[in-house]
Amino acid sequence: RHHTGLMFALAFTHTCNNAGLYFLLTLLPSFFLNVLDFDIGAAGAVAILPHLFMFLTGPVAGRTMDALVERRVLSVTVTRKLFIVLGAAVTVAGLLAEIFVRNVALAVAVMTLAAVGIAIASASYGANSLDIGGQRAGLIYGISNTFATIPGIVLPTLFSAIVDGRERDLSAWAIVFGILIGIHTAMAVAFVLFGSGKSIVG
């Protein structure tokens, strides 16, 4: 039962975090175009800012976690939980701010903040597959990633249905952001309750 709980925590966290990632990949350009009248796809360097900061944040978060564990500032379990909660909090802050920001530059900035949060959480649960799986980490991560593809199938369809015919209506997009906020909050709660950095491999 304990092993099942740890696997659940990893897979659930991975799945929830991917919800935000798939939103960035699929529907963010539509939000900017329809609500803010800004074609982010044609904006050159601006369009890659969320993804660039995700790319830069991951290694920094990983090195920071390693330092905390190696210097025995925090245990592996506490470190993983801390960074999942931190990542979720940063993502939720960015998504919540996006509902109220009407300035394009600020909108890009707070969505980049949300992307940074996604990267922080990703660094934690990515390493957690090694924590609990050891030499079987690849298999465990593969199982987790199978479940984590579900948001990429389900959520774009769901979110498109929510804003269908109301693409320029901020209240419709607020529902989308609210769902994502709920998902990332649930992610943090679940990992705090069920996650661990202890190996399940004998």
Side-chain angles (χ1 to χ4, degrees):
R1 181 179 299 178
H2 177 64
H3 292 177
T4 302
L6 297 187
M7 284 292 296
F8 162 79
L10 174 60
F12 186 78
T13 300
H14 193 167
T15 301
C16 290
N17 203 53
N18 270 13
L21 174 62
Y22 285 124
F23 172 80
L24 291 178
L25 294 174
T26 59
L27 287 178
L28 181 63
S30 178
F31 170 77
F32 274 100
L33 180 62
N34 288 296
V35 177
L36 300 176
D37 293 316
F38 178 64
D39 186 357
I40 194 170
V46 174
I48 69 167
L49 282 177
H51 307 285
L52 175 62
F53 275 84
M54 282 183 67
F55 173 77
L56 296 174
T57 300
V60 173
R63 293 287 293 185
T64 303
M65 285 189 292
D66 287 345
L68 290 172
V69 172
E70 289 170 2
R71 297 176 185 178
R72 299 187 179 183
V73 176
L74 297 173
S75 69
V76 174
T77 295
V78 172
T79 300
R80 299 294 181 247
K81 290 183 178 184
L82 173 63
F83 275 71
I84 291 294
V85 171
L86 176 62
V90 171
T91 300
V92 165
L95 293 170
L96 186 61
E98 197 70 45
I99 298 173
F100 301 100
V101 170
R102 300 278 63 82
N103 176 274
V104 171
L106 284 177
V108 172
V110 296
M111 192 51 66
T112 300
L113 180 68
V116 166
I118 291 170
I120 292 171
S122 180
S124 185
Y125 70 70
N128 190 236
S129 61
L130 289 167
D131 300 331
I132 68 174
Q135 293 183 344
R136 298 180 184 176
L139 174 61
I140 290 174
Y141 192 86
I143 295 171
S144 174
N145 197 48
T146 299
F147 289 101
T149 60
I150 294 174
I153 301 169
V154 175
L155 292 185
T157 302
L158 173 62
F159 292 161
S160 294
I162 291 172
V163 301
D164 185 34
R166 304 169 61 196
E167 288 85 359
R168 302 188 71 84
D169 185 352
L170 179 60
S171 64
W173 286 98
I175 296 172
V176 172
F177 289 123
I179 292 171
L180 288 170
I181 287 169
I183 289 172
H184 283 270
T185 301
M187 172 187 81
V189 172
F191 197 84
V192 167
L193 292 176
F194 301 106
S196 176
K198 296 180 180 179
S199 175
I200 63 175
V201 180

